[in-house]
Amino acid sequence: MSRGRKCFCGLLVAVRTSWTHKNLGRRFKAYKFYKFGTRHTGCNYFEWVDEEILDWQRDVTNVLIAEKHRLATDLRLVQAKLECTENLKRSLSQQLDNIEKKKWKQNEFIARQQNEQISVVVAACIVVSVVVSVVVVKLIG
Ligand SMILES: [Zn+2]
């Protein structure tokens, strides 16, 4: 590779890679601002770097590119599913929080009711014991 090669207008040439079907992945040297497939070819300086691609190389490259696109699609699907799962997880976590809060409130309510019941039983016991004491005192004395 001759570094410092200049095109017809004296600019350093750029090594680029062709992505056309016929010359897939084949590198070439051209005018610095050369745009493939357009008329912007500058001074028309053009030179292949790589040898012509063989059919099997082109086939393999095409298969690999197709595979790459398939994998990219798969990746997007997996990412979408992951995002969906994350949303579900957040929603479930929120629901769980709400359930925990309800449970906590119910436990508080039950504890308060039990305290009230105990108070009623204690009060009843006091009344009964006073009545029994009065009766006993009257019977004995
Ligand atoms: Zn030029």
Side-chain angles (χ1 to χ4, degrees):
M1 294 231 294
S2 48
R3 282 177 181 272
R5 175 83 58 94
K6 287 176 181 172
C7 72
F8 303 131
C9 38
L11 295 169
L12 288 174
V13 297
V15 176
R16 317 279 284 277
T17 303
S18 160
W19 293 110
T20 60
H21 184 76
K22 189 172 181 290
N23 291 297
L24 213 51
R26 192 178 176 195
R27 290 173 303 163
F28 61 91
K29 284 181 197 161
Y31 171 65
K32 203 174 171 181
F33 304 109
Y34 182 96
K35 282 196 182 129
F36 215 90
T38 71
R39 288 167 191 272
H40 303 289
T41 53
C43 59
N44 285 330
Y45 180 94
F46 188 94
E47 186 189 353
W48 286 112
V49 174
D50 297 323
E51 284 173 32
E52 200 168 345
I53 297 167
L54 301 175
D55 282 347
W56 71 266
Q57 291 172 320
R58 187 163 40 239
D59 290 347
V60 165
T61 309
N62 274 320
V63 166
L64 289 175
I65 285 174
E67 182 73 358
K68 186 186 158 210
H69 285 311
R70 200 184 59 77
L71 288 173
T73 306
D74 284 358
L75 182 64
R76 274 198 295 277
L77 273 176
V78 170
Q79 281 170 335
K81 274 184 192 166
L82 185 66
E83 201 178 319
C84 194
T85 307
E86 290 289 340
N87 285 341
L88 189 65
K89 195 180 130 192
R90 264 196 295 278
S91 164
L92 285 175
S93 165
Q94 186 70 48
Q95 285 176 29
L96 191 67
D97 271 4
N98 289 342
I99 289 171
E100 289 287 341
K101 274 180 203 159
K102 269 187 197 165
K103 198 178 116 186
W104 194 78
K105 275 184 188 169
Q106 277 180 339
N107 282 343
E108 209 181 18
F109 179 73
I110 288 169
R112 217 182 308 132
Q113 277 195 326
Q114 281 175 341
N115 280 339
E116 280 172 18
Q117 283 170 354
I118 288 168
S119 301
V120 167
V121 168
V122 167
C125 283
I126 289 168
V127 168
V128 167
S129 59
V130 166
V131 168
V132 167
S133 302
V134 167
V135 169
V136 166
V137 165
K138 281 209 170 174
L139 283 179
I140 294 170

